[in-house]
Amino acid sequence: MDKLIITAALTGAEVTKEIQPNLPITAEEIAVEAEKAYEAGAAIVHVHAREDNGSPTQDIEYYKSIKEEIGKRCPVIFQPSTGGATWHTAEERLQPVDLKPEMATLSTGTCNFGDDVFMNSKEYIVKFAKKMKENRVKPEIEVFEPGMIANAEYLIKNDLVSTPLHFDFVLGVPGAMPASAKNLVFMVGSIPAGSTWTVAGIGRHETPLAMMGIAMGGHVRVGFEDNIYYKKGEIAKSNAQLVERVARMANELGREVATPDEAREILNLK
Ligand code: KMH
Ligand code: ZN
């Protein structure tokens, strides 16, 4: 089994300071949080930028500052979001790809997202994939529903992405695919041979699915984007606290944790 790649999803677009007082907002706060997550075992940080008032933004200038601040502090892989918030336009969402990060997310289908709709039409998906290919950015295929795997296969068939692909199964978003062991096994069995994968369980599903990801030879994402609690009724102190728990579980299960450079090898980023 490869070493375990832990991704820390530091901010998300939906979580607010009101419900998670430890949420980092400014570029400096996000970079300090990234460094702490790196020290706890994260090889990748998935980031959504925020304006100073906390609103999610896809403005390239915010992402540029975050990338620079993180780069000053640690060698973690910077993975900006192209999902943004449900109300962002495709053009807004694509901006961080111009920074040529090593990776960026690419959602390959539309789904309900709480009370909203997360829109990813075929036109969007193709446009995003083309832009990432032009900029040599490795997509992490964000999958919220099984049909999104078929759309990723369409990108492969049309030479819009390079293989092997890396998938992230985000399970438990209200309105999309529920988080369960059965669903994770189904998803893992449905991706093209040779692909790598990560699992992100939403809310209380984060830790059980992380445990499954470790045991099944996949990789794991945790962080405030997906879950704000350390355990029932206890708000997490930091993203690093959630990363530390995954690293401890991996240790108990005999799975070593990958450094950013080892993750670069596993994901063919070099
Ligand atoms: N905030 C969600 C609507 C991504 O980062 O690529 C979309 C999302 C996916 O979080
Ligand atoms: Zn995200």
Side-chain angles (χ1 to χ4, degrees):
M1 250 183 222
D2 281 329
K3 290 190 180 180
L4 176 73
I5 302 171
I6 305 176
T7 300
L10 302 175
T11 48
E14 292 79 24
V15 178
T16 62
K17 238 1 198 187
E18 284 69 44
I19 61 164
Q20 175 40 289
N22 304 313
L23 180 74
I25 301 286
T26 66
E28 199 177 344
E29 286 169 357
I30 293 172
V32 168
E33 193 74 2
E35 186 178 20
K36 285 196 289 177
Y38 159 71
E39 283 165 358
I44 302 176
V45 289
H46 170 67
V47 176
H48 289 248
R50 300 296 186 106
E51 290 177 19
D52 292 346
N53 67 8
S55 310
T57 175
Q58 288 297 106
D59 187 326
I60 190 166
E61 292 306 323
Y62 284 88
Y63 278 102
K64 188 163 181 271
S65 306
I66 295 167
K67 184 170 183 270
E68 282 170 7
E69 289 298 326
I70 292 175
K72 279 186 214 165
R73 289 169 172 82
C74 64
V76 75
I77 298 165
F78 170 66
Q79 182 201 80
S81 171
T82 70
T86 51
W87 62 87
H88 287 136
T89 64
E91 284 66 31
E92 285 173 317
R93 285 167 49 184
L94 264 174
Q95 292 177 76
V97 176
D98 283 321
L99 296 172
K100 303 189 193 307
E102 292 176 274
M103 299 182 86
T105 50
L106 169 53
S107 295
T108 51
T110 299
C111 62
N112 283 6
F113 202 93
D115 294 337
D116 301 318
V117 174
F118 182 34
M119 175 58 73
N120 294 290
S121 63
K122 185 174 169 190
E123 184 193 340
Y124 280 29
I125 299 166
V126 168
K127 187 178 177 143
F128 282 38
K130 278 188 177 156
K131 179 144 184 171
M132 289 190 202
K133 198 165 189 203
E134 275 163 27
N135 285 281
R136 295 171 178 270
V137 176
K138 173 146 182 163
E140 175 176 279
I141 307 294
E142 303 297 294
V143 171
F144 298 78
E145 294 275 13
M148 297 185 186
I149 296 173
N151 293 338
E153 283 166 345
Y154 172 88
L155 296 178
I156 297 174
K157 282 195 195 95
N158 288 278
D159 202 23
L160 293 163
V161 286
S162 306
T163 53
L165 282 179
H166 180 64
F167 289 85
D168 178 28
F169 306 123
V170 185
L171 302 183
V173 170
M177 195 177 197
S180 68
K182 187 174 94 174
N183 285 348
L184 178 60
V185 170
F186 172 74
M187 296 299 250
V188 172
S190 304
I191 54 178
S195 305
T196 50
W197 60 272
T198 289
V199 62
I202 300 300
R204 66 191 163 81
H205 302 289
E206 181 171 86
T207 308
L209 287 193
M211 182 70 96
M212 286 193 66
I214 298 166
M216 290 169 68
H219 304 283
V220 171
R221 181 174 105 172
V222 291
F224 291 168
E225 173 161 352
D226 303 329
N227 167 43
I228 60 169
Y229 293 99
Y230 185 67
K231 56 187 178 197
K232 192 170 181 192
E234 186 181 319
I235 293 283
K237 291 190 184 69
S238 63
N239 283 280
Q241 190 188 21
L242 300 170
V243 172
E244 272 162 19
R245 171 162 55 196
V246 175
R248 273 200 313 277
M249 293 193 308
N251 185 46
E252 287 295 325
L253 294 178
R255 185 117 185 251
E256 283 182 71
V257 173
T259 64
D261 272 346
E262 288 167 341
R264 289 181 174 97
E265 293 283 346
I266 295 165
L267 299 173
N268 297 303
L269 297 182
K270 289 188 166 171

